[in-house]
Amino acid sequence: MTKVTCDLSISADGCAAGHGQTEERPFGDDGGDGSGAALHAWMFDTPEENRAELDLMAGAGAYIMGRNMFGPVRGGWDREWNGWWGEDPPFHAPVFVLTHHPRDPQPMAGGTTFHFVTDGIGAALARAREAAGDADVAVAGGAATVNQFLAAGLIDELRLHIVPVVFGGGTRLFEGVPPLRLEQVGSRAASGVTHVTYRVPR
Amino acid sequence: MTKVTCDLSISADGCAAGHGQTEERPFGDDGGDGSGAALHAWMFDTPEENRAELDLMAGAGAYIMGRNMFGPVRGGWDREWNGWWGEDPPFHAPVFVLTHHPRDPQPMAGGTTFHFVTDGIGAALARAREAAGDADVAVAGGAATVNQFLAAGLIDELRLHIVPVVFGGGTRLFEGVPPLRLEQVGSRAASGVTHVTYRVPR
């Protein structure tokens, strides 16, 4: 049985993004320039040290993300926007974007295709499972989307990457999620990050 | 130079206690019976595995705690209450309790004496430093008190013990604390807990 996984880099106060996100500052008040640099330093500054975690993140057969993670466009698709990641996004797989506004699939370089799903998280998960085949499905973020999936009991494995920065507020993991007993199945320290893997009981 | 330390067991969603604390349920809605059992299982169920962390916790020369950590009595000291810990509390050192209501020092067995401080966290810290001598001062909790000390820049080392349970709300570490860059100086997994030590820049 394939799993539904979620990797999320969070601040020590549990935020995946700060308040005040804009196109120029996609991570908002993140204690830096809004680029999320501190949250993701472990991926970009010390990738070899974190190879195992990065490989797991990259191993999903399909991804699901919220509209805010995909981009800053709100309401209808009234201007061209193909994600934050340039021509060759790092997913290399189908990505299902939750939105209220229909849009045709958007193929990108490197095997990524953005599909736009207007009928909710259950439908997005069904489509992602089908697309992923024998591979896992990953809920990529942001925290609000992860919280929806957690509250619905749809995530099997939550892999947190806890970074030593306090945002002082923002989009917080577990906000609105009912009480849960998790199972800690892995935990590992690296430079400037603690990786913790939880199994989420169904 | 001695340090001001803080050890805090927190849920995966960053809470040191749930909502709805009462005398019968000092940890409130903690996913269990309100006794904080899940939060503190690492201390009581697997102490040998966590000996290093427990020894550090026990090594302070004086402790500071908030009124709510000391007990459920609110307002004046209108009934006898000497803490949650029985005749021989686990501190074995002076404990400075923050309160708005004066009370004489309360000596207990085993070297613990509760002192009641009515003039704020700075005064409590000064008295605790003097009492601790060459040893560290520990801010024992709860989260609201820790947050006051963090916001005032008075904690040097924050040792979190992150437990695989989601409270879904409660008294949250870092609530109201302004943005901070921490330094992760240690991180270690044990059974059902991840220990992370942060140095807090002054």
Side-chain angles (χ1 to χ4, degrees):
Chain A
M1 182 65 181
T2 62
K3 293 192 297 283
V4 180
T5 66
C6 170
D7 281 273
L8 205 63
S9 292
I10 58 172
S11 64
D13 55 336
C15 297
H19 286 304
Q21 298 168 252
T22 64
E23 183 167 344
E24 292 70 33
R25 306 174 74 248
F27 287 86
D29 299 332
D30 65 353
D33 62 3
S35 69
L39 272 188
H40 301 107
W42 68 274
M43 296 180 185
F44 298 112
D45 297 353
T46 51
E48 284 315 314
E49 195 187 341
N50 298 292
R51 181 56 54 201
E53 287 77 16
L54 292 170
D55 284 350
L56 277 177
M57 281 182 78
Y63 295 83
I64 298 170
M65 69 175 61
R67 172 73 176 261
N68 291 6
M69 179 167 172
F70 181 66
V73 183
R74 300 289 177 271
W77 298 104
D78 53 4
R79 67 183 174 101
E80 192 174 337
W81 181 269
N82 294 332
W84 301 101
W85 303 274
E87 287 306 304
D88 184 5
F91 306 102
H92 314 297
V95 178
F96 296 87
V97 179
L98 298 160
T99 169
H100 294 293
H101 299 274
R103 177 175 159 183
D104 288 338
Q106 175 68 52
M108 308 292 290
T112 298
T113 297
F114 293 114
H115 299 271
F116 300 88
V117 181
T118 56
D119 43 358
I121 62 172
L125 182 54
R127 291 185 59 187
R129 276 194 193 282
E130 193 179 341
D134 292 337
D136 290 344
V137 169
V139 178
T145 297
V146 173
N147 291 343
Q148 271 189 283
F149 277 88
L150 281 170
L154 296 176
I155 289 181
D156 300 303
E157 196 168 285
L158 185 58
R159 305 173 191 144
L160 301 183
H161 312 287
I162 307 172
V163 170
V165 59
V166 175
F167 280 7
T171 311
R172 200 187 297 276
L173 179 66
F174 295 123
E175 191 89 56
V177 175
L180 283 174
R181 290 278 174 150
L182 306 172
E183 185 189 349
Q184 179 181 300
V185 293
S187 177
R188 188 177 84 82
S191 313
V193 63
T194 297
H195 305 290
V196 187
T197 299
Y198 294 119
R199 189 170 298 143
V200 189
R202 289 277 178 160
Chain B
M1 181 67 181
T2 62
K3 292 192 299 284
V4 180
T5 65
C6 169
D7 280 274
L8 205 63
S9 292
I10 57 172
S11 63
D13 55 336
C15 296
H19 286 304
Q21 297 168 252
T22 65
E23 183 165 346
E24 291 71 34
R25 306 174 75 245
F27 287 86
D29 299 330
D30 65 354
D33 62 3
S35 69
L39 272 188
H40 302 106
W42 67 273
M43 297 182 185
F44 298 111
D45 297 353
T46 51
E48 285 315 315
E49 194 188 341
N50 298 291
R51 181 54 54 201
E53 287 76 16
L54 291 170
D55 284 351
L56 277 177
M57 282 182 78
Y63 295 82
I64 298 171
M65 68 175 61
R67 171 73 177 261
N68 290 7
M69 179 166 172
F70 181 67
V73 183
R74 300 289 176 270
W77 299 104
D78 53 4
R79 65 182 174 104
E80 191 175 338
W81 182 269
N82 294 332
W84 301 102
W85 303 275
E87 288 305 304
D88 184 4
F91 305 103
H92 314 298
V95 177
F96 295 87
V97 179
L98 298 162
T99 170
H100 294 292
H101 300 272
R103 177 174 160 182
D104 288 338
Q106 175 67 52
M108 308 291 290
T112 297
T113 297
F114 293 114
H115 300 271
F116 300 88
V117 182
T118 56
D119 42 358
I121 62 171
L125 181 55
R127 291 184 60 187
R129 276 194 191 282
E130 194 180 341
D134 293 337
D136 290 341
V137 169
V139 178
T145 297
V146 173
N147 291 343
Q148 271 189 283
F149 277 87
L150 281 171
L154 295 176
I155 288 181
D156 299 303
E157 196 167 287
L158 185 59
R159 304 174 192 143
L160 302 183
H161 312 285
I162 308 172
V163 170
V165 57
V166 175
F167 280 8
T171 311
R172 200 187 295 277
L173 178 66
F174 295 123
E175 192 89 56
V177 175
L180 283 174
R181 290 278 175 149
L182 306 171
E183 184 187 352
Q184 179 182 299
V185 294
S187 177
R188 191 178 81 82
S191 314
V193 63
T194 296
H195 306 290
V196 187
T197 301
Y198 294 118
R199 188 171 296 144
V200 189
R202 288 275 179 163

